[in-house]
Short mmCIF file of all heavy atoms in Angstrom, two decimals:
data_model
loop_
_atom_site.label_atom_id
_atom_site.label_comp_id
_atom_site.label_asym_id
_atom_site.label_seq_id
_atom_site.Cartn_x
_atom_site.Cartn_y
_atom_site.Cartn_z
N ILE F 14 -14.50 21.35 -4.98
CA ILE F 14 -14.92 20.04 -4.48
C ILE F 14 -13.74 19.13 -4.13
O ILE F 14 -13.94 18.06 -3.56
CB ILE F 14 -15.84 19.30 -5.48
CG1 ILE F 14 -15.14 19.06 -6.82
CG2 ILE F 14 -17.16 20.04 -5.64
CD1 ILE F 14 -15.81 18.00 -7.68
N PHE F 68 -4.44 13.73 -4.11
CA PHE F 68 -4.73 15.08 -4.56
C PHE F 68 -6.21 15.18 -4.96
O PHE F 68 -6.74 14.28 -5.61
CB PHE F 68 -3.79 15.36 -5.74
CG PHE F 68 -4.11 16.56 -6.56
CD1 PHE F 68 -4.19 17.82 -5.99
CD2 PHE F 68 -4.29 16.45 -7.94
CE1 PHE F 68 -4.47 18.94 -6.76
CE2 PHE F 68 -4.58 17.55 -8.72
CZ PHE F 68 -4.67 18.81 -8.12
N ALA F 70 -8.50 18.35 -6.35
CA ALA F 70 -8.64 19.01 -7.65
C ALA F 70 -8.23 20.46 -7.49
O ALA F 70 -8.20 20.99 -6.38
CB ALA F 70 -10.09 18.93 -8.12
N ILE F 71 -7.94 21.08 -8.60
CA ILE F 71 -7.62 22.50 -8.57
C ILE F 71 -8.46 23.24 -9.61
O ILE F 71 -8.97 22.66 -10.55
CB ILE F 71 -6.13 22.78 -8.87
CG1 ILE F 71 -5.69 21.91 -10.03
CG2 ILE F 71 -5.27 22.59 -7.66
CD1 ILE F 71 -5.01 22.63 -11.08
N THR F 72 -8.54 24.54 -9.39
CA THR F 72 -9.15 25.43 -10.37
C THR F 72 -8.02 26.01 -11.20
O THR F 72 -6.97 26.36 -10.66
CB THR F 72 -9.87 26.59 -9.64
OG1 THR F 72 -10.91 26.02 -8.85
CG2 THR F 72 -10.46 27.59 -10.61
N SER F 73 -8.21 26.08 -12.50
CA SER F 73 -7.23 26.84 -13.29
C SER F 73 -7.98 27.61 -14.36
O SER F 73 -9.07 27.20 -14.77
CB SER F 73 -6.14 25.95 -13.86
OG SER F 73 -6.69 24.99 -14.71
N ILE F 98 -0.56 20.65 -11.63
CA ILE F 98 -0.54 19.19 -11.80
C ILE F 98 0.43 18.81 -12.93
O ILE F 98 1.17 17.84 -12.82
CB ILE F 98 -1.96 18.59 -11.95
CG1 ILE F 98 -1.94 17.08 -11.97
CG2 ILE F 98 -2.72 19.13 -13.12
CD1 ILE F 98 -1.59 16.46 -10.66
N LEU F 281 -17.35 11.41 -14.67
CA LEU F 281 -16.37 12.04 -13.78
C LEU F 281 -16.47 11.57 -12.33
O LEU F 281 -15.48 11.56 -11.61
CB LEU F 281 -16.49 13.56 -13.85
CG LEU F 281 -15.97 14.17 -15.16
CD1 LEU F 281 -16.31 15.64 -15.24
CD2 LEU F 281 -14.45 13.96 -15.27
N GLY F 282 -17.64 11.19 -11.90
CA GLY F 282 -17.80 10.73 -10.52
C GLY F 282 -17.13 9.39 -10.25
O GLY F 282 -17.03 8.95 -9.10
N GLU F 297 -5.26 10.82 -7.95
CA GLU F 297 -6.28 11.88 -8.00
C GLU F 297 -7.48 11.45 -8.82
O GLU F 297 -7.34 10.72 -9.79
CB GLU F 297 -5.68 13.15 -8.63
CG GLU F 297 -5.01 12.88 -9.96
CD GLU F 297 -4.91 14.08 -10.90
OE1 GLU F 297 -5.66 15.05 -10.73
OE2 GLU F 297 -4.11 14.01 -11.84
N THR F 299 -10.04 12.31 -11.71
CA THR F 299 -9.67 13.12 -12.88
C THR F 299 -10.55 14.37 -13.03
O THR F 299 -10.25 15.23 -13.83
CB THR F 299 -9.73 12.31 -14.20
OG1 THR F 299 -11.07 11.89 -14.40
CG2 THR F 299 -8.85 11.09 -14.13
N HIS F 300 -11.62 14.44 -12.24
CA HIS F 300 -12.46 15.63 -12.36
C HIS F 300 -11.76 16.86 -11.80
O HIS F 300 -10.76 16.78 -11.09
CB HIS F 300 -13.82 15.42 -11.68
CG HIS F 300 -13.76 15.15 -10.21
ND1 HIS F 300 -13.42 16.11 -9.29
CD2 HIS F 300 -13.99 14.01 -9.49
CE1 HIS F 300 -13.47 15.59 -8.06
NE2 HIS F 300 -13.79 14.32 -8.17
N GLY F 301 -12.33 18.02 -12.13
CA GLY F 301 -11.78 19.29 -11.65
C GLY F 301 -12.45 19.74 -10.37
O GLY F 301 -13.02 18.92 -9.63
N SER F 302 -12.40 21.04 -10.13
CA SER F 302 -12.87 21.58 -8.84
C SER F 302 -14.37 21.89 -8.82
O SER F 302 -14.91 22.29 -7.79
CB SER F 302 -12.09 22.85 -8.52
OG SER F 302 -12.33 23.82 -9.54
N ALA F 303 -15.04 21.70 -9.96
CA ALA F 303 -16.50 21.93 -10.09
C ALA F 303 -17.00 23.05 -9.17
O ALA F 303 -17.78 22.80 -8.25
CB ALA F 303 -17.26 20.63 -9.82
N PRO F 304 -16.60 24.29 -9.45
CA PRO F 304 -16.90 25.40 -8.53
C PRO F 304 -18.37 25.49 -8.12
O PRO F 304 -18.67 25.82 -6.98
CB PRO F 304 -16.47 26.64 -9.33
CG PRO F 304 -15.51 26.14 -10.34
CD PRO F 304 -15.88 24.73 -10.66
N LYS F 305 -19.28 25.13 -9.03
CA LYS F 305 -20.70 25.32 -8.67
C LYS F 305 -21.14 24.36 -7.56
O LYS F 305 -22.17 24.59 -6.93
CB LYS F 305 -21.60 25.22 -9.90
CG LYS F 305 -21.75 23.86 -10.52
CD LYS F 305 -22.75 23.89 -11.69
CE LYS F 305 -22.81 22.49 -12.30
NZ LYS F 305 -23.41 22.42 -13.60
N TYR F 306 -20.39 23.32 -7.30
CA TYR F 306 -20.74 22.39 -6.22
C TYR F 306 -19.82 22.51 -5.01
O TYR F 306 -19.95 21.76 -4.04
CB TYR F 306 -20.70 20.95 -6.73
CG TYR F 306 -21.77 20.64 -7.74
CD1 TYR F 306 -21.45 20.22 -9.03
CD2 TYR F 306 -23.12 20.76 -7.41
CE1 TYR F 306 -22.43 19.93 -9.97
CE2 TYR F 306 -24.12 20.49 -8.34
CZ TYR F 306 -23.76 20.07 -9.61
OH TYR F 306 -24.73 19.79 -10.52
N VAL F 312 -21.14 16.08 -4.59
CA VAL F 312 -20.55 15.29 -5.69
C VAL F 312 -20.18 13.88 -5.24
O VAL F 312 -20.06 13.58 -4.05
CB VAL F 312 -19.31 15.98 -6.30
CG1 VAL F 312 -19.70 17.30 -6.94
CG2 VAL F 312 -18.21 16.14 -5.27
N ASN F 313 -19.97 13.05 -6.24
CA ASN F 313 -19.69 11.63 -6.01
C ASN F 313 -18.23 11.43 -5.58
O ASN F 313 -17.31 11.83 -6.29
CB ASN F 313 -19.95 10.90 -7.33
CG ASN F 313 -20.00 9.41 -7.15
OD1 ASN F 313 -19.46 8.87 -6.18
ND2 ASN F 313 -20.63 8.73 -8.09
N TYR F 353 -26.08 12.52 -6.57
CA TYR F 353 -26.99 13.10 -7.57
C TYR F 353 -26.72 12.61 -8.99
O TYR F 353 -27.63 12.41 -9.78
CB TYR F 353 -26.93 14.64 -7.52
CG TYR F 353 -25.80 15.22 -8.32
CD1 TYR F 353 -25.98 15.58 -9.66
CD2 TYR F 353 -24.52 15.38 -7.77
CE1 TYR F 353 -24.93 16.08 -10.41
CE2 TYR F 353 -23.48 15.87 -8.51
CZ TYR F 353 -23.68 16.22 -9.83
OH TYR F 353 -22.64 16.69 -10.57
N ASP F 354 -25.42 12.43 -9.30
CA ASP F 354 -25.08 12.02 -10.67
C ASP F 354 -25.63 10.63 -11.00
O ASP F 354 -25.85 10.30 -12.16
CB ASP F 354 -23.56 12.06 -10.89
CG ASP F 354 -22.80 11.23 -9.87
OD1 ASP F 354 -23.17 11.25 -8.68
OD2 ASP F 354 -21.83 10.56 -10.26
P1 NAI G 1 -15.07 19.67 -13.52
O1 NAI G 1 -14.54 18.30 -13.63
O2 NAI G 1 -14.64 20.45 -12.34
O3 NAI G 1 -16.65 19.62 -13.48
C1 NAI G 1 -17.51 19.52 -14.60
C2 NAI G 1 -18.86 18.99 -14.15
O4 NAI G 1 -18.77 17.59 -13.99
C3 NAI G 1 -19.33 19.51 -12.82
O5 NAI G 1 -19.99 20.71 -12.92
C4 NAI G 1 -20.24 18.40 -12.38
O6 NAI G 1 -21.49 18.52 -13.02
C5 NAI G 1 -19.54 17.16 -12.90
N1 NAI G 1 -18.66 16.53 -11.89
C6 NAI G 1 -17.34 16.73 -11.69
N2 NAI G 1 -16.90 15.96 -10.69
C7 NAI G 1 -17.96 15.27 -10.23
C8 NAI G 1 -18.14 14.30 -9.20
N3 NAI G 1 -17.13 13.90 -8.42
N4 NAI G 1 -19.38 13.81 -9.00
C9 NAI G 1 -20.40 14.20 -9.77
N5 NAI G 1 -20.30 15.10 -10.75
C10 NAI G 1 -19.09 15.63 -11.01
O7 NAI G 1 -14.69 20.43 -14.86
P2 NAI G 1 -14.84 21.98 -15.25
O8 NAI G 1 -16.12 22.52 -14.75
O9 NAI G 1 -14.56 22.02 -16.69
O10 NAI G 1 -13.65 22.72 -14.52
C11 NAI G 1 -13.72 23.36 -13.26
C12 NAI G 1 -12.35 23.76 -12.83
O11 NAI G 1 -11.57 22.61 -12.59
C13 NAI G 1 -11.60 24.57 -13.89
O12 NAI G 1 -10.92 25.60 -13.25
C14 NAI G 1 -10.65 23.57 -14.50
O13 NAI G 1 -9.50 24.19 -15.00
C15 NAI G 1 -10.34 22.69 -13.32
N6 NAI G 1 -9.91 21.32 -13.65
C16 NAI G 1 -9.00 20.75 -12.82
C17 NAI G 1 -8.61 19.43 -12.98
C18 NAI G 1 -7.68 18.84 -11.98
O14 NAI G 1 -7.58 19.35 -10.90
N7 NAI G 1 -7.02 17.77 -12.28
C19 NAI G 1 -9.11 18.63 -14.09
C20 NAI G 1 -10.14 19.29 -14.87
C21 NAI G 1 -10.50 20.60 -14.66
#
Side-chain angles (χ1 to χ4, degrees):
I14 60 163
F68 167 57
I71 43 130
T72 298
S73 61
I98 186 70
L281 288 172
E297 52 156 340
T299 63
H300 61 71
S302 61
K305 70 176 178 196
Y306 293 120
V312 297
N313 193 338
Y353 84 91
D354 55 319

